[in-house]
Amino acid sequence: METKLPPASTPTSPSSPGLSPVPPPDKVDGFSRRSLRRARPRRSHSSSQFRYQSNQQELTPLPLLKDVPASELHELLSRKLAQCGVMFDFLDCVADLKGKEVKRAALNELVECVGSTRGVLIEPVYPDIIRMISVNIFRTLPPSENPEFDPEEDEPNLEPSWPHLQLVYEFFLRFLESPDFQPSVAKRYVDQKFVLMLLELFDSEDPREREYLKTILHRVYGKFLGLRAYIRKQCNHIFLRFIYELEHFNGVAELLEILGSIINGFALPLKTEHKQFLVRVLIPLHSVKSLSVFHAQLAYCVVQFLEKDATLTEHVIRGLLKYWPKTCTQKEVMFLGEMEEILDVIEPSQFVKIQEPLFKQVARCVSSPHFQVAERALYFWNNEYILSLIEDNCHTVLPAVFGTLYQVSKEHWNQTIVSLIYNVLKTFMEMNGKLFDELTASYKLEKQQEQQKAQERQELWQGLEELRLRRLQGTQGAKDGPLPRPTPQVAASGGQS
Amino acid sequence: MAGAAGPRAAPGAAGGDGDDSLYPIAVLIDELRNEDVQPPLESLATVEETVVRDKAVESLRQISQEHTPVALEAHFVPLVKRLASGDWFTSRTSACGLFSVCYPRASNAVKAEIRQHFRSLCSDDTPMVRRAAASKLGEFAKVLELDSVKTEIVPLFTNLASDEQDSVRLLAVEACVSIAQLLSQDDLEALVIPILRQAAEDKSWRVRYMVADKFSELQKAVGPKITLNDLIPAFQSLLKDCEAEVRAAAAHKVKELCENLPTEGREAIIVNQILPYIKELVSDTNQHVKSALASVIMGLSTILGKENTIEHLLPLFLAQLKDECPEVRLNIISNLDCVNEVIGIRQLSQSLLPAIVELAEDAKWRVRLAIIEYMPLLAGQLGVEFFDEKLNSLCMAWLVDHVYAIREAATNNLMKLVQKFGTEWAQNTIVPKVLVMANDPNYLHRMTTLFCINALSEACGQEITTKQMLPIVLKMAGDQVANVRFNVAKSLQKIGPILDTDALQGKVKPVLQKLGQDEDMDVKYFAQEAISVVAQRLRKLDVLVKDREEPRIPGADKNLFLIPRGPGEDTGKGPACQLHVNTRDTLAQLEIAELVHFLQSRE
């Protein structure tokens, strides 16, 4: 068959194997995979934000707001707002540079104007403002470039249109914070749907955007009383989905931070809704894999709740014990940290309720082979308040931890841990010498009994072994006998030689 | 046994402690299948942990089948209703999965109630519940009367498909497949298609992705007429979607879409309406899109026939063969057989070769491995002459690759080639080159000779094995590296069955006996193992062997027999002992061996 194709470049055939037996050094690929992955050029894909507008009009700079007489100000303002509603393609960084610059300048001016000029925010501009903001910020977030995006390890994907987006957010913030701002007018436009879309944006990978969103949502929560319950409910949905369905949402830390300050402002007595939020959302949030990303904010929320209502303490601590990490030491350290924060604010009456299960867990942590876990647990004894709680309840706490501490002090591989434990045992001794002596004695007795048992067991096995050997000799002697006997397997190989 | 404990579990107990651990319980209870277990299952169906809940629902669904219609209404339906009106979202999500199992056997009054419950869950306040309802919508539609489907399901579907949350909307796309199967063409066109069209242009890429991903199912469900009028335009827009994820999902479906088009006029539709879009995807900016396309594009040639393939597809194949991304090229090469059937591979061979050569030398060993695996196929299609001229040297170069997996694959590849091209070809082209490597300074390459011989001896037959291979193997018994020596023993054991008595008795046995006295423990062990196998073979060949030295059972040396040795086991012998890689040439072990070799070569 004839080929129609032009001959391709001749392949470079590798030299025959017989002649060059050693692979050329440049073929060694070694362990460069990680670096390759890093060096990989960023996958360029268009963002969902910018879906081409077919009638892209040319933007022409408008006169400055400060240059027009007050009578024309609002007309110009709404033209500027309309101008800022035009979207640009930021993935093509050279496309329509002039238009981008016009919009940037207009946004800058709007930010300036809304922040400093009084009397600008009159009722008719509200819809224009909200429309401009909505058009710019509300978009479907693009798929993550890296499906296994790890917020601790990987570089986040930054929003390409940030030069404009930042100004829009800034404008939004100043708008909300303006002394002229009237929530009663704005609530017609900032409605539930608006808030829902705002919340969806918290999934953005860009930390700068989430930072703005955090402040904005906080202001919205503060100014729009009618939306408060709705915001809390939608946050719940986001968290529940995050815990039980997806395990992926970038803005958990930011949402928790807002909720922390919201919890701070809860009226007493707490509503059932709020308690349910603590028990069914905040506590289960501890079980999520990526806990480290938002743990500080989560612990803050939990402590806020306990400061509000101490009767929740038992529920919280038992919840934490239920979700206590079994294999992840990094998380265990975080749990211990949170537990100390809780103990810092615990009421003695509550401490009594949970001391036993809690200190059993602490003892387990002290005996962890991971020294950071053990160390973190032992630091509890450096805390004056915790120490005083232990002292008040030493008849319960000491027996719960003593055996473990004593044993670990003899066995732990890490010298720092051993010396920390010695200190702890010393404080115990000073705390209640009599109890300490009793516990030491009973511990030693227990150990002795254990040893004795072990010895007995070993003697039993030895006896069995001897018995077996004797029988073995017996069977070998009787090998030629008339009756075939079941011979142990070991005998077979002996017979061969 | 487990059953005794199951039913007694108080309903309130579930959800008490560590919800994950309840999963096996939910599984166990499933095996009881008794209405007694309904209460615990009901409470398991309300826990937060999704796996537990799903399993509990699955079990409840099975139980429902065991009920008589009367018992179903007396015991099961009330349970479903309780769940459906539970306070916490978990029970309501569980209820969504239970409607369809009790509906068909319920009385009309109860049916109306069930529909009412389902309706309210479809507009539940919680998105989790709406998601559950949307995912069960199709299933529920199937058990409903056709009238109810039209009057009730379609409005629900319409609502869910325009839900404020994209996670709900995308599930409605799935339901669309089931609903479309139930309705007549007219109803479809009036009620469902507008929504489907809207989903294909949804502002959320996740919904559009779902449409692309379910495209074949949708196509089958709506039938050929609607496909031509509505789905093809939708597909075109998915192929040029702004998100790469969507384009890749659509590209994956290209072949299936074309296959399922009505045969009449199919070629014209593909050429005029699909191919222009595919052409653009070939030069897409995203490698996942290109590689998705490359994995199916070859399949179009059988649909389009020879002329269209040459005119329209060939340029695309050639472009993809030169793609910068190895995965794209690999996907093309791995599907060559489709094209071969239609136009013959010669059309491509000129472009194929550079692509193969480049892949063969790719820096990533997995890419090299992938291309090796296609070698026998390529060889078969390109013919022996082309192969000798262009590809043979590649195959030999792989034998000295620095990654064991590649050398191993290269060895197997040779065997398959010999099976394809015959022994004479092997004798002239492969065997001499393999045997030369026996003198290589690198012991890993010398071992490769042995591995090749292991693989090739059977395919080459007795004569070549005895005359050409055996002498080399025997010579290598004197190698200074223990690994080579014990591999000689292993090779002799392997090729023993092919040799005749004379060779075994006269040549193999003395060498093995000498190796059996080797100073190295591993060599000794494998030699002894080989000796016993060879002896058996000899006995089979009906030769009386009354040699005193005969089978020395390895068990004589107890330690040797009982303990499987791994690298580094006998620590007393210095670093060299790490070379004693044991029987199975696993990758890990070989990598250790290579590492040691690497260190040595640096010294």
Side-chain angles (χ1 to χ4, degrees), chain B residues 400-452:
Chain B
V400 292
D401 197 282
H402 63 287
V403 174
Y404 174 73
I406 299 299
R407 298 196 298 273
E408 187 190 34
T411 310
N412 287 332
N413 174 42
L414 285 190
M415 181 181 73
K416 288 181 192 150
L417 289 174
V418 172
Q419 283 166 353
K420 221 161 214 132
F421 292 151
T423 51
E424 201 178 316
W425 176 80
Q427 198 173 3
N428 294 331
T429 50
I430 302 271
V431 175
K433 288 185 189 168
V434 167
L435 296 182
V436 164
M437 280 178 9
N439 302 320
D440 197 287
N442 184 337
Y443 86 98
L444 289 170
H445 298 170
R446 297 201 294 277
M447 292 213 306
T448 306
T449 299
L450 290 172
F451 297 145
C452 285

Side-chain angles (χ1 to χ4, degrees), chain A residues 98-164:
Chain A
K98 187 166 152 274
K100 281 178 188 167
E101 178 51 33
V102 171
K103 177 170 170 180
R104 200 192 58 80
L107 278 169
N108 260 329
E109 216 190 337
L110 286 172
V111 169
E112 185 72 15
C113 167
V114 83
S116 58
T117 321
R118 295 294 302 261
V120 177
L121 294 181
I122 56 164
E123 224 175 301
V125 301
Y126 277 71
D128 288 342
I129 287 178
I130 297 297
R131 195 178 312 121
M132 189 279 279
I133 291 169
S134 304
V135 165
N136 276 284
I137 66 172
F138 295 145
R139 64 211 193 274
T140 310
L141 296 169
S144 177
E145 284 195 10
N146 177 0
E148 302 107 57
F149 176 70
D150 178 351
E152 289 208 299
E153 282 266 317
D154 299 322
E155 283 289 308
N157 216 351
L158 296 181
E159 174 59 46
S161 67
W162 191 244
H164 283 174

Side-chain angles (χ1 to χ4, degrees), chain A residues 5 21 29 46 48 140 233, chain B residues 125 203 242-243 347 363 440 445:
Chain A
L5 304 159
D29 59 0
S46 40
S48 279
T140 310
K233 194 173 75 182
Chain B
D125 201 28
K203 66 181 191 319
C242 62
E243 289 301 345
Q347 293 272 10
D440 197 287
H445 298 170

